Amino acid sequence: MKVLAMVGSLRKGSYNKLLLQAAIELKPKDMQIESGDIGEIPLYDEDVREKGFPAPVQKLREQLRAADALLFVTPEYNYTIPGVLKNAIDWCSRPPEQPFNDKPAAMLGASISRLGTARAQYHLRQSCVYLNIHVLNQPEVMVADAAKHFEAGKLTDENARKLITQLLLNLEAWAMRLQKR
Ligand code: FNR
């Protein structure tokens, strides 16, 4: 099973990048997780799109199409998802054949506040409705007080590690169920 991850932070020391690393460590053995590159995507411009998708968008759209499932790993910025992630989603969502359609997905996130990306994840779920992405409901993985839960680049919170393991098992089962329709 091929899973494409989209991480909503570009910074080198990102907790969310580390969260993705934890997911890669904890994934079921038949799952491959690849990360899409959203860092080179320009700001959305309809005039540009009318002339054709920029190369980084084209690449991400192809990766999305080829994926059996999606994994969003997002911080929270001002109570919603970061602009870089929204921008990538906006570009990829444009016709023809928007590549998010009918894909199973899961989400998780880490932030330094006590709500651990809850508000951002609920906003992201709202966009997923429009895009016809089938997002897993449970478990919810919201790593709060992120600075306390990573050490030397590793997620150390045992509860979060258990939840991520379960999230990926559920995603695998969810994607298989949807494939059998
Ligand atoms: C934040 N941060 C933040 N945290 C949070 O829990 N809720 C929020 O609304 C915000 N808002 C916010 C806005 C902006 C512009 C920035 C730069 C940051 C803090 C955020 O959780 C923290 O910077 C994380 O470390 C970001 O994730 P990465 O980059 O570590 O993955």
Side-chain angles (χ1 to χ4, degrees):
M1 177 167 299
K2 284 203 282 190
V3 174
L4 186 75
M6 290 176 79
V7 182
S9 174
L10 304 182
R11 74 183 187 98
K12 223 189 291 167
S14 157
Y15 293 123
N16 287 278
K17 285 185 180 171
L18 298 178
L19 208 53
L20 174 60
Q21 283 314 308
I24 291 170
E25 253 177 65
L26 298 167
K27 67 181 174 54
K29 71 172 178 357
D30 293 332
M31 183 180 275
Q32 296 163 32
I33 304 181
E34 182 190 8
S35 185
D37 184 5
I38 66 170
E40 299 302 317
I41 296 181
L43 286 178
Y44 188 82
D45 183 334
E46 184 71 10
D47 296 337
V48 173
R49 186 195 66 94
E50 279 169 3
K51 294 185 198 125
F53 289 112
V57 177
Q58 191 64 39
K59 180 170 178 203
L60 192 54
R61 281 169 59 91
E62 282 160 19
Q63 288 174 304
L64 286 164
R65 250 184 230 115
D68 298 303
L70 312 178
L71 187 66
F72 294 103
V73 191
T74 188
E76 181 170 281
Y77 279 8
N78 298 313
Y79 286 14
T80 185
I81 61 170
V84 286
L85 179 57
K86 183 63 163 53
N87 185 56
I89 292 172
D90 289 345
W91 266 114
C92 291
S93 70
R94 303 305 289 149
E97 294 165 38
Q98 73 92 345
F100 294 108
N101 185 41
D102 220 21
K103 295 283 181 187
M107 62 178 67
L108 70 167
S111 87
I112 59 172
S113 85
R114 293 180 61 201
L115 288 182
T117 72
R119 294 160 293 217
Q121 289 196 33
Y122 281 109
H123 269 179
L124 180 56
R125 282 178 183 272
Q126 195 172 318
S127 294
C128 290
V129 172
Y130 180 68
L131 296 168
N132 197 31
I133 297 172
H134 309 300
V135 188
L136 261 182
N137 288 330
Q138 287 176 0
E140 292 185 311
V141 184
M142 298 163 174
V143 179
D145 295 323
K148 294 184 187 156
H149 301 302
F150 293 88
E151 255 178 60
K154 199 172 150 80
L155 176 68
T156 50
D157 184 299
E158 270 317 309
N159 188 46
R161 293 179 73 85
K162 274 189 203 143
L163 287 173
I164 292 170
T165 303
Q166 193 60 55
L167 181 78
L168 296 176
L169 284 170
N170 289 8
L171 178 62
E172 186 177 55
W174 180 224
M176 279 160 58
R177 226 169 110 183
L178 290 172
Q179 272 169 13
K180 280 196 199 127
R181 279 173 303 169

